[in-house]
Amino acid sequence: MPEKIIVAGVPVDTRHFIGGRRVASPDTFDDVSPIDGQVLGPIARGGPAEAEAAIAAAREAFPAWAATPRAERARILHAVADGVEKRIEELSAVETHDNGALLRSHRRGVMPRVAHNFRFFADWLLTLGHDDFETRGHTNHVSWDPAGPCVLITPWNAPLMLATWKVAPALAAGNTVVLKPAEWSPLTASLLADIATEAGLPAGVLNVVQGYGAEIGDALTSHPDVRRISFTGSVPTATRIAASAAANLTPLSLELGGKSPLLVFADADLDLAVDLAVEQYDNAGQVCLAATRILVEESVAEEFTRRFEEKASALVQGDPREEATDLGPTIHTRQLEKIDGFVQRALAAGARAVIGGHRRDGQYYAPTLLTDVAQDSEIVQEEVFGPVLTLQTFADEEEAVRLANDTRFGLAATLATGDRERADRVTARLIAGTVWVNCFFVRDLQAPFGGSRLSGVGREGGTWSFDFYCDLKNTVTAPNGWNNHG
């Protein structure tokens, strides 16, 4: 296999990165661009041997990195952020070819956020602490000790941003990392390894291995030397990871799927509510936080639907490299078939497509809104992960909350209302890790992030990330018993 491929004019090494050096595998898999179905190149396909080597490298590098002073770890993470910022154009172009998300979004939002992930956790590390407190004259001192090698398994819908959301706090905490990116979008993780090396990150502190979950993922998550596992992805995969980790009682952080509601009350700013609803088509609907179930108060449902159809129909779907494009392709033909299967079964069961409901050429699926759907139907209850929304109506606040909470998930919820007291009442009753009121996708790294029910286990962000990636220790010291008084 070639050591490097050229993507959008950028050379990308397709080998693993283990212990500070590139490592090939005897087998490969093809990385295909969703834009046009073209093969970008063969990628090293790892298995148990590569998993073992990567964990061994992380284990060997851990003592020195854990002992590195906080200020020095923070300095290196800021240097990584500098490297990301210098290569925003390259990273954006490669990731757009690799996963089909909009180039303009990568340039303006996603890649700057990648750099911010490193800067935020580097700075947070320097302020991390807890005031000492007294217990019957004894002093309690809380500390955050690095846990050890971490396995981080990341998804394909925002590959580098979601990878660094895990990598940055794990490294800041003093841990070493084995990163396994999704096989459908592995390229920017490889570029991150180059950037981290140039920034001075010691060999073995960050390792990147590629391959299929069944071949390399199980070997990583079941390894007894792994001290933390963080995963973002589907519920079925999470259950396999949890079972694999159980034998070693390896702590897990799981950020999983969602079937989030958008509640639109009659007192809401209807134009704002429509804007929020259409925004759910972002990244071709391949966003775990997307409010795919639109719940609208009966008295404004007809007007809401009219305005929604008008606005959504104006969206431009096409080549994500073009500035005017609003929706790109779905990530993979398998995902496209899955999306269409959901929609066609819903239509066969009596749903009506207000817009969309069909494929377009290539790997593109038309933005879709389905009405006349039952609450217990598959299309309402299961995550589609594509540009497919449903619309239901409610009579009053009580029914709105009941419908909103009536799934197995609890990742997020969005609420549109002009009544502050109603907002307070409803948000208090919604089952969700994040609730947005009259806004969407406003996220601060200081805030806890995660889901309830089948949407996940644990919270990350700010100190919550360090709580997960560290072993917390409380040291209790008696007030006397010292032989010296220096």
Side-chain angles (χ1 to χ4, degrees), residues 329-352:
T330 55
I331 182 72
H332 196 276
T333 53
R334 275 170 42 196
Q335 187 66 16
L336 181 71
E337 291 165 1
K338 176 185 173 185
I339 293 166
D340 193 48
F342 272 112
V343 172
Q344 298 313 315
R345 289 191 297 274
L347 293 173
R352 179 176 69 88

Side-chain angles (χ1 to χ4, degrees), residues 345-370:
R345 289 191 297 274
L347 293 173
R352 179 176 69 88
V354 176
I355 60 170
H358 57 84
R359 302 185 188 196
R360 288 178 168 161
D361 291 340
Q363 287 178 210
Y364 296 79
Y365 204 88
T368 297
L369 177 67
L370 301 177

Side-chain angles (χ1 to χ4, degrees), residues 385-429:
F385 220 66
V388 178
L389 311 178
T390 60
L391 189 149
Q392 299 166 271
T393 62
F394 60 84
D396 53 28
E397 191 175 300
E398 188 67 28
E399 185 179 18
V401 172
R402 179 180 63 78
L403 292 174
N405 287 338
D406 187 21
T407 74
R408 301 178 300 155
F409 298 98
L411 187 56
T414 304
L415 173 64
T417 179
D419 186 331
R420 180 58 182 267
E421 293 182 355
R422 166 175 279 156
D424 291 342
R425 286 194 307 270
V426 172
T427 56
R429 298 177 62 192

Side-chain angles (χ1 to χ4, degrees), residues 25 30-31 55 63 91 96 108 119 143 146 149 157 168 194 208 217 238 281 341 351 354 360 411 460 467:
S25 289
D30 285 338
D31 185 26
I55 293 170
L91 292 166
T96 291
R108 299 172 190 172
R119 296 199 191 282
S143 58
N157 57 323
D194 295 335
V208 179
Y281 290 130
V354 176
R360 288 178 168 161
L411 187 56
E460 295 186 40
D467 288 348

Side-chain angles (χ1 to χ4, degrees), residues 260-314:
S260 302
L262 164 57
L263 290 76
V264 179
F265 287 91
D267 56 24
D269 177 332
L270 214 54
D271 286 333
L272 170 64
V274 169
D275 286 346
L276 293 174
V278 173
E279 192 176 350
Q280 308 310 311
Y281 290 130
D282 182 50
N283 200 21
Q286 299 168 131
V287 178
C288 59
L289 291 162
T292 56
R293 295 183 297 129
I294 304 173
L295 307 175
V296 185
E297 194 163 355
E298 290 172 351
S299 61
V300 295
E302 184 176 345
E303 178 64 14
F304 174 91
T305 304
R306 184 189 68 78
R307 296 193 199 184
F308 178 94
E309 183 177 3
E310 180 180 352
K311 189 172 184 68
S313 296

Side-chain angles (χ1 to χ4, degrees), residues 32-38 96-100 329-332 363-364:
V32 179
S33 174
I35 298 175
D36 52 14
Q38 295 298 306
T96 291
H97 278 78
D98 205 15
N99 87 326
T330 55
I331 182 72
H332 196 276
Q363 287 178 210
Y364 296 79

Side-chain angles (χ1 to χ4, degrees), residues 147-320:
C150 300
V151 166
L152 311 179
I153 303 175
T154 54
W156 46 258
N157 57 323
L160 192 56
M161 194 274 285
L162 292 177
T164 56
W165 156 253
K166 301 175 187 296
V167 169
L171 295 181
N175 299 318
T176 52
V177 164
V178 178
L179 170 63
K180 186 216 164 295
E183 58 268 24
W184 287 350
S185 56
L187 299 183
T188 48
S190 179
L191 293 177
L192 177 64
D194 295 335
I195 292 170
T197 299
E198 293 166 5
L201 194 70
V205 174
L206 173 64
N207 306 275
V208 179
V209 292
Q210 300 142 164
Y212 297 120
E215 296 175 356
I216 192 170
D218 290 345
L220 291 171
T221 56
S222 63
H223 201 287
D225 290 337
V226 172
R227 296 316 314 139
R228 295 293 186 273
I229 299 170
S230 181
F231 168 73
T232 297
S234 70
V235 173
T237 301
T239 59
R240 292 196 296 271
I241 290 173
S244 180
N248 301 307
L249 294 180
T250 308
L252 294 167
S253 177
L254 304 174
E255 194 269 280
L256 309 178
K259 196 67 180 176
S260 302
L262 164 57
L263 290 76
V264 179
F265 287 91
D267 56 24
D269 177 332
L270 214 54
D271 286 333
L272 170 64
V274 169
D275 286 346
L276 293 174
V278 173
E279 192 176 350
Q280 308 310 311
Y281 290 130
D282 182 50
N283 200 21
Q286 299 168 131
V287 178
C288 59
L289 291 162
T292 56
R293 295 183 297 129
I294 304 173
L295 307 175
V296 185
E297 194 163 355
E298 290 172 351
S299 61
V300 295
E302 184 176 345
E303 178 64 14
F304 174 91
T305 304
R306 184 189 68 78
R307 296 193 199 184
F308 178 94
E309 183 177 3
E310 180 180 352
K311 189 172 184 68
S313 296
L315 293 172
V316 176
Q317 186 167 32
D319 192 324

